[in-house]
Amino acid sequence: MLLKMIAGLSGPEFNLAPGDEREFDDAEAERLIEAGFAVKAEVDEVPAAAPARKKGKSNVVPASGDAGSE
């Protein structure tokens, strides 16, 4: 379950500050919510954006202009 921390929490595998989000197993998540350390995080369904393409010419030197290619 994805939780959003209300209080700081650290352990051998993590160091979380208020506002951080982390996935916990259900039993641990319920324990942290009941103790007031965290709340369930809202999951935003955001579609993956296509990588941005660079505009302009590529940074490639043609072989005809390369003196060392002979």
Side-chain angles (χ1 to χ4, degrees), residues 27-42:
E28 183 70 3
E30 291 299 326
R31 188 184 74 80
L32 291 170
I33 292 170
E34 289 176 12
F37 285 101
V39 294
K40 288 183 182 180
E42 296 179 15

Side-chain angles (χ1 to χ4, degrees), residues 8-22:
L9 180 69
S10 63
E13 298 178 12
F14 53 85
N15 186 12
L16 303 171
D20 289 348
E21 295 183 356
R22 184 174 191 280

Side-chain angles (χ1 to χ4, degrees), residues 29-70:
E30 291 299 326
R31 188 184 74 80
L32 291 170
I33 292 170
E34 289 176 12
F37 285 101
V39 294
K40 288 183 182 180
E42 296 179 15
V43 180
D44 295 331
E45 294 295 327
V46 178
R53 294 184 58 179
K54 292 183 179 180
K55 294 182 180 179
K57 296 182 180 180
S58 62
N59 191 14
V60 178
V61 177
S64 61
D66 186 9
S69 66
E70 295 178 24

